[in-house]
Amino acid sequence: SLGIFIDKNLSWKKHITETSKKIASAIGALKRIRKFICQKTAQKIYAALIEPQFDYCSTVWDGMSKQLSDKLQKLQNRAARVITRSTYDTSSTVLLDKLGWEQLQIRRKKQKAVTVFKAIHKLAPVYLQNLFTPRSTEYFIRDHENKLYLAKPRTEYLKRSFSYSGALLWNDLPKEMRNLNTLSSFKKEINKYTFKSDSHTAIMKNS
């Protein structure tokens, strides 16, 4: 009903497979009409019909495997080539920069950070608020302000969970960002913030 496929192992393979089919079909349609439209129009079509499918509920399924993450990144790279009418041997890193696009894993991190902000500022449902606990200590620790408690994950599943990965992401943000009090100001700063790319995704940008 919500447009998300969930299996008993929460591997997200089914969801990414189905999402990839929809995105590939949309890119194919864009490729067929690309010669009849300008690049600006092609980018608008991408923003309206393709990009939302990359983003939809990504905070939920962001704990997917490297293989599935790579699969989505290849599709964004393909869309960039279609829009810029570039050959396959053109570096996707160059194309993404030219279009002003962020890697998908960077987009997901920013969306996750916004969701965590909403949760700890009581702007999200209670079940999300309950996932995060402010870190407390009797001792002064440098850069400690507004960090979240981070339990050591004992399983790979917990490591990929939103409660752990969200808290880890939040704690790694600069103190000035964690101290922001309004959603609008946080969104403004997170959009400007530069996350470091995961090593495997950096490689995928050249695929």
Side-chain angles (χ1 to χ4, degrees):
S1 298
L2 297 177
I4 299 177
F5 295 88
I6 303 175
D7 61 46
K8 63 180 180 180
N9 297 316
L10 293 181
S11 70
W12 303 112
K13 182 177 180 180
K14 173 69 173 177
H15 177 73
I16 300 303
T17 297
E18 295 300 322
T19 299
S20 296
K21 288 178 182 178
K22 295 178 183 178
I23 293 173
S25 178
I27 292 174
L30 180 59
K31 184 177 182 179
R32 288 192 291 274
I33 66 171
R34 177 63 182 89
K35 62 182 178 180
F36 302 111
I37 59 177
C38 66
Q39 181 171 311
K40 185 176 181 180
T41 299
Q43 287 182 254
K44 288 182 177 180
I45 293 175
Y46 171 86
L49 302 179
I50 300 175
E51 191 172 66
Q53 297 189 61
F54 283 127
D55 294 341
Y56 181 68
C57 289
S58 65
T59 299
V60 175
W61 47 262
D62 184 46
M64 61 186 159
S65 67
K66 169 187 177 298
Q67 181 182 17
L68 295 177
S69 179
D70 289 350
K71 186 174 185 178
L72 290 178
Q73 188 58 52
K74 284 184 177 180
L75 287 171
Q76 189 192 41
N77 295 346
R78 185 190 304 174
R81 290 192 173 92
V82 168
I83 290 174
T84 58
R85 304 186 75 173
S86 301
T87 59
Y88 186 77
D89 58 354
T90 304
S91 169
S92 56
T93 301
V94 173
L95 296 181
L96 295 182
D97 289 341
K98 181 179 180 180
L99 292 168
W101 292 358
E102 294 176 315
Q103 300 175 53
L104 295 177
Q105 57 111 357
I106 297 297
R107 290 181 61 84
R108 292 194 297 270
K109 283 183 177 181
K110 292 187 174 183
Q111 291 159 2
K112 182 179 292 186
V114 170
T115 302
V116 174
F117 179 94
K118 290 180 178 179
I120 64 180
H121 286 83
K122 304 186 185 304
L123 300 174
V126 174
Y127 70 88
L128 287 179
Q129 297 177 31
N130 292 338
L131 293 178
F132 304 105
T133 303
R135 182 187 294 177
S136 60
T137 179
E138 297 178 358
Y139 304 98
F140 174 79
I141 300 178
R142 183 175 177 270
D143 196 36
H144 175 269
E145 292 181 49
N146 290 334
K147 284 196 172 184
L148 299 172
Y149 174 72
L150 198 62
K152 185 177 181 180
R154 297 183 178 181
T155 64
E156 191 63 27
Y157 170 76
L158 180 58
K159 188 175 181 180
R160 297 198 308 266
S161 69
F162 174 57
S163 58
Y164 177 81
S165 63
L168 182 65
L169 178 65
W170 179 264
N171 289 350
D172 284 341
L173 293 177
K175 178 177 65 176
E176 294 74 17
M177 292 184 66
R178 299 196 307 270
N179 287 339
L180 293 172
N181 294 316
T182 66
L183 181 59
S184 59
S185 61
F186 184 79
K187 284 183 175 180
K188 181 180 179 180
E189 293 303 315
I190 199 68
N191 284 333
K192 296 188 295 183
Y193 185 67
T194 302
F195 282 100
K196 292 182 179 179
S197 302
D198 294 341
S199 59
H200 75 269
T201 307
I203 294 173
M204 286 303 303
K205 286 184 68 179
N206 293 315
S207 300

